[in-house]
Amino acid sequence: MISKRIIAFFAAACLSLGISTAKPDEGMWLPMLLKQLNEAEMQKKGMKLSAEDIYSINQSSLKDAIVSFGGFCTGEMISSEGLLLTNHHCGYGQIQSHSSVEKDYLTEGFWAMNREQELPNPGLFATFIVRMEDVTQQILAGIPANVTEAEREKMVQTNIGKVRQQAIAGTHYDAVIRPFFYGNEYYMYVTETFRDIRLVGAPPSSIGKFGGDTDNWMWPRHTGDFAMFRIYADENNNPAEYSPNNKPYKPKHHLPISLSGVQENDFTMVFGFPGRTNEYLTSHAIQEIYETSNPHKIKIRDTKLAVLDKDMKASDAVRIQYAAKYASVANAWKKWIGESRGLRKANTIARKQEQEKQFTAWANADAGRKQTYGNLIAEFENNYKQLEGVTIARDYIMEAAWGVELIRYANDYIKLNELIEAKAPQQEINAQLDRLEKGAAGYFKNYNAPTDKKVFAALLSMYYENLDPKLHPSAFAMVRQKYKGDFSKYADEVYSKSLFTSEAGVRKAIAEIRAGKTNPLKNDPGFQLANSINDYYRTNVLPTYTKVNDNLNPLYRTYMTGLRAMQQDRKFYPDANSTLRVAYGKVEPYEPVDGVKYKYFTTLEGIIEKAASGAAEDYAIPARLQELYDKKDYGPYGVNGQLPVAFIASNHTTGGNSGSPVINANGQLIGTNFDRNWEGTMSDLTYNPDQVRNISVDVRYMLFIVDKFAGAGHLVKEMTLVNDNTSGLPQVDARRKAETPADAPQLSKREQRKAEKAARKAAKKKEKEAAEVVN
C-alpha cells in the first residue's frame, strides 16, 4: 500500500498546481447538496441565508422563483403576478417574431401598458423545479460491469423511463433524469412547465443590445440586457395552453429587489440553468479544441458574419429577418476567440498534462489501482488520435455546410426521400409531409435566398479549399470538374433551380408528393448536395466519431472515479447539463492584462461617453436616454449623481445562465446575469480565478429603464422593493412574508420603523468598533 508520506507528497504537488481543490468561487453546485457541501463556505463569504432558504421541498424557497426560460435561458419571478425577468437576448426571438418594418419592436422597444397588450408567444415555455432526487441506485440497478457502452446506455434509458413514470404518475408534472460525472451518478428533476408566456416589455435594441458585437463578451459593459414576460395559468393556478381566460400565475416565491446596490467583495449567488461545461476533459481534448477545432470554426463564422452584416445593413427587411441569426452566430464566434486566449493564458494544456502525470503515478503506486487506472491516460491518447481528420471534417460539415440555410433545410427532407424511395406506406410519408409543411411558413418568414446564396458561395469555398480532398463529400468532385471549383458559379445553378429557395417551391413539391407524382426531390440540385454531404457524414465521420465517444465515455467515468479517490479533500462539482445549479462568488475587479485594472461597476456616464465617441454604430442611443442623462433625472435609482448600469462578480457561469438572477446575501435580487468577460470564456473548460467574471445588469438600471425611460411604472409597482444597507435587518423573515401572494408586497410602517431602529443601532456599534480599532 502507498504510504501516508507519498499521499502527502501528491496532495502538496496538486495544491501547487491549483488542481486538488476547487478554486475560489469555482463550481456549479447542485441545490439539494448545498447543506452538505457548500452552506458553511457560503455563509463564511457573507451569505445570511441557509441552504434550506435556497432549496427546499417543504417550504417555499428561492428555487421556486427560478425558471428554465424556453429551455435555453433562465428567468426569475419578480412579482406575485407572474412577472418574469430574463435577458433581452433570451427574448430576442420572441421580440423579433412580433416585429415588422411597420412595428419594429427590435429597434423601438415594446411595453405593454396593460394586461390586454401583453403578447402571446406560441412554443415558448417556462419550467419550474418541483424537487430533485438522487436516483443513482435505481438507474444503475441490474447493469453488469462488463457490458458495452451501447448496451449500458440502453439499460440506463430503460431504467430512466421506469423511474420517471413512477415519479410523475397521477400528476401534471414532468421529470428529467440526467447523468452526472459521466454516468457515475444520476439525479432526477421533477418539473412543472407553463406554456402561456406573454411578452410584457423590452427596451429598444439600442439599450438591450447596447454595444452589440463590439462589446459582446467584453468588460467594461453598458448593456441593459433585460426583457420582461408574464406567466399565465388557468383558474386553479395550474399550467394551461394559451387562452384569453387565463390569469397571471401566482408563484410560490418571487424575488424581492434590493435598491441598495453592490459593493466590492459583496457576496453574490447566481441561480440558474447552465447549459454545458467540460471541466474534466484531458489534455488531449483541450489540445484538439485549441489547436484544431476553434481556429477553423472561428474563420468560418468570421466569413459568414461578414456576408450577413453587409446584407443586413443594405436592407431593413433583411436586418429584421437575420437579427437573431446574426446574434447567435456572432456570440459563439467571439466566445471561441476569447476561450482560446484564456486557455493559452491559463497554460491549460500543460497543467492538464501535469495532472495526468500525477494521476498515473498515483495509480501505479498501488497494485489494485494500477490494474484499474494505470493505462487510463494512454487509452485517452489512443482514442483522441483516432479523431484526427474526423473532428475537422465534422466541424466543416456543422459550420460550413450546415451553416448554409438551404443545405440545412434540404437536409430535413432526407428522411422523406428515403421513405419515398423505399415505397413506404403512404401514412408514414404523409406524417413526414405534415411535419415539413407545418414548419415551412415560419422558416421562410426569416429567410432571404439572395443572402443565403452569398453565404453558400463563401462557406463552401472554404470547405473545398481548407480540407484535404479525402475529406470532401462526393458532390465536390462534380464542382471541381464542371465549375473548376468555382462555388459562385455552382451557387448560380443551385439557387436558380432548387425548390428550397422559396416557400412556394416547397409547398408545390409537397403537393406533388401527396398526389403520388414523380419525386421532385430526386433531381433537385440543392437536395442532391445536402444528400451528398449527409452521405459523407454518415459514412466517413459519424461511425468513427460515435465509436471513439463510446470508448471515451467509460474512460471518463473511470477517470472521474479515480480523481475523486486521489483528491478526497476536494469538493467536486458536476459539469453543467442544463439542470438547476447554484454558483457563488463575490463582487470584485480584475486585471485583464499587465498594467490594466478594471473596476467592478459601470454607470450611465460610460454609455454617454461611448455614444459621443462615434466609434461604432453599436453605440447609438435613444434621444430619451440622453435627455434623462442631461437632466440627471434618475429617480430613486441613482447613487451620488450617477446611475449604475452593470457589475461583475466571480460567479462561475456559462451559456444557459443568461437571464439568471444575481442574488445578494439576503436573498434579494441585485442584478440579472447576461454575459462573461472575454478573458474568462475558457471557464467552460477550466477556471482561472484571476480572470473569470460574470457580467450582470444592475437591477437599478433595469428599474430606471422601465420606470423613467419607458414610463411603465405600473410594472415597478408590482415588485417588492427593499432599500436597506445593513445585515442586521430581518431580511430573511421579510422575504418569507413577501413570498405569499396574498401578503402585502412591502414591509409595514411598524416593521420599517423597527428595521430603521435596528439599522441605526448596528451602525453605532460598527462606529464604536472602528474607533476602538483606531485607538
Side-chain angles (χ1 to χ4, degrees), residues 58-286:
N58 299 313
Q59 63 184 36
S60 63
S61 58
L62 293 185
K63 80 161 172 54
D64 298 314
I66 315 300
V67 301
S68 173
F69 182 80
F72 50 83
C73 279
T74 301
E76 54 269 15
M77 308 309 300
I78 57 170
S79 87
S80 62
E81 294 293 312
L83 195 60
L84 183 155
L85 180 66
T86 188
N87 285 155
H88 183 270
H89 76 259
C90 293
Y92 202 68
Q94 283 69 42
I95 302 166
Q96 179 198 34
S97 71
H98 294 295
S99 296
S100 64
V101 174
E102 295 74 27
K103 293 183 178 180
D104 189 353
Y105 297 140
L106 288 175
T107 300
E108 299 169 4
F110 169 81
W111 301 97
M113 293 302 173
N114 54 57
R115 302 284 167 84
E116 288 71 29
Q117 292 179 0
E118 296 175 357
L119 302 176
N121 300 279
L124 183 62
F125 60 87
T127 298
F128 291 87
I129 301 301
V130 178
R131 70 175 189 275
M132 287 180 62
E133 184 178 340
D134 183 347
V135 292
T136 304
Q137 290 186 353
Q138 297 97 303
I139 301 305
L140 297 182
I143 300 179
N146 58 349
V147 296
T148 67
E149 188 66 11
E151 290 171 332
R152 181 186 191 273
E153 183 60 22
K154 186 177 180 180
M155 295 178 186
V156 163
Q157 291 304 319
T158 297
N159 289 345
I160 283 177
K162 293 177 181 177
V163 173
R164 179 179 171 275
Q165 287 301 319
Q166 291 171 359
I168 62 176
T171 74
H172 66 270
Y173 297 147
D174 201 350
V176 293
I177 299 175
R178 296 277 172 79
F180 294 77
F181 299 115
Y182 294 93
N184 280 315
E185 298 173 11
Y186 288 83
Y187 288 84
M188 177 171 65
Y189 288 75
V190 177
T191 63
E192 184 177 38
T193 297
F194 292 78
R195 301 187 182 279
D196 186 354
I197 315 297
R198 305 182 196 179
L199 177 62
V200 173
S205 290
S206 53
I207 290 174
K209 281 191 67 180
F210 180 82
D213 293 311
T214 303
D215 282 2
N216 190 23
W217 298 108
M218 307 301 286
W219 182 258
R221 199 68 172 276
H222 300 83
T223 313
D225 195 348
F226 75 92
M228 292 181 174
F229 292 77
R230 194 182 303 278
I231 299 177
Y232 279 77
D234 67 14
E235 59 183 5
N236 297 315
N237 208 39
N238 290 323
E241 295 296 328
Y242 169 80
S243 168
N245 297 322
N246 286 343
K247 307 295 182 184
Y249 172 63
K250 304 288 186 182
K252 296 176 183 176
H253 177 62
H254 68 274
L255 297 176
I257 297 174
S258 172
L259 294 176
S260 301
V262 297
Q263 301 294 327
E264 189 170 344
N265 292 319
D266 278 357
F267 172 87
T268 57
M269 174 171 62
V270 172
F271 210 171
F273 293 83
R276 189 65 184 147
T277 59
N278 291 283
E279 303 291 341
Y280 304 105
L281 290 178
T282 65
S283 62
H284 319 91
I286 300 297

Side-chain angles (χ1 to χ4, degrees), residues 594-751:
D594 182 48
V596 176
K597 184 174 182 178
Y598 285 144
K599 291 181 178 179
Y600 65 87
F601 68 95
T602 60
T603 68
L604 182 57
E605 188 81 27
I607 295 177
I608 303 303
E609 289 172 350
K610 286 182 175 179
S613 71
E617 61 186 38
D618 289 332
Y619 295 152
I621 62 172
R624 173 63 176 160
L625 189 62
Q626 180 73 54
E627 177 187 346
L628 290 167
Y629 168 77
D630 291 339
K631 294 180 178 179
K632 299 296 185 290
D633 186 6
Y634 304 149
Y637 316 115
V639 180
N640 298 324
Q642 291 189 319
L643 180 67
V645 171
F647 64 91
I648 53 174
S650 56
N651 302 287
H652 193 176
T653 61
T654 188
N657 274 127
S658 291
S660 295
V662 184
I663 299 169
N664 67 11
N666 297 311
Q668 303 159 351
L669 183 68
I670 53 175
T672 304
N673 182 80
F674 70 92
D675 208 352
R676 281 174 286 170
N677 62 322
W678 204 36
E679 298 83 5
T681 51
M682 79 298 184
S683 61
D684 288 350
L685 304 172
T686 189
Y687 186 91
N688 183 344
D690 296 330
Q691 296 293 302
V692 175
R693 297 291 182 272
N694 67 302
I695 306 175
S696 306
V697 185
D698 193 301
V699 73
R700 292 168 294 181
Y701 186 54
M702 177 273 289
L703 293 169
F704 164 80
I705 294 298
V706 173
D707 189 358
K708 303 295 292 184
F709 175 86
H714 62 288
L715 297 174
V716 177
K717 289 180 181 178
E718 284 189 44
M719 306 172 197
T720 303
L721 304 185
V722 179
N723 195 346
D724 151 68
N725 279 315
T726 74
S727 59
L729 291 180
Q731 292 298 335
V732 176
D733 292 339
R735 176 180 60 78
R736 286 177 176 158
K737 177 179 176 60
E739 67 194 4
T740 304
D743 285 342
Q746 297 184 358
L747 297 175
S748 68
K749 291 183 178 179
R750 181 181 178 184
E751 289 172 321

Side-chain angles (χ1 to χ4, degrees), residues 520-569:
L521 300 175
K522 197 170 184 179
N523 297 316
D524 185 275
F527 182 80
Q528 289 175 336
L529 175 59
N531 202 33
S532 174
I533 295 169
N534 186 66
D535 281 345
Y536 179 83
Y537 179 70
R538 286 180 176 180
T539 304
N540 300 91
V541 176
L542 189 59
T544 302
Y545 189 80
T546 301
K547 177 186 174 183
V548 171
N549 276 284
D550 281 348
N551 292 339
L552 286 172
N553 283 338
L555 292 180
Y556 273 113
R557 192 156 55 243
T558 304
Y559 187 44
M560 287 307 307
T561 301
L563 281 178
R564 295 170 87 173
M566 180 176 112
Q567 303 174 15
Q568 295 185 26
D569 291 336

Side-chain angles (χ1 to χ4, degrees), residues 7-44:
I7 292 174
F9 166 77
F10 281 121
C14 290
L15 280 169
S16 69
L17 289 164
I19 58 178
S20 71
T21 58
K23 302 173 186 67
D25 305 329
E26 178 183 2
M28 300 173 182
W29 305 93
L30 298 181
M32 68 174 288
L33 300 180
L34 291 179
K35 181 73 174 179
Q36 172 185 340
L37 296 177
N38 311 102
E39 183 185 64
E41 183 182 1
M42 294 171 78
Q43 291 176 342
K44 185 177 179 181

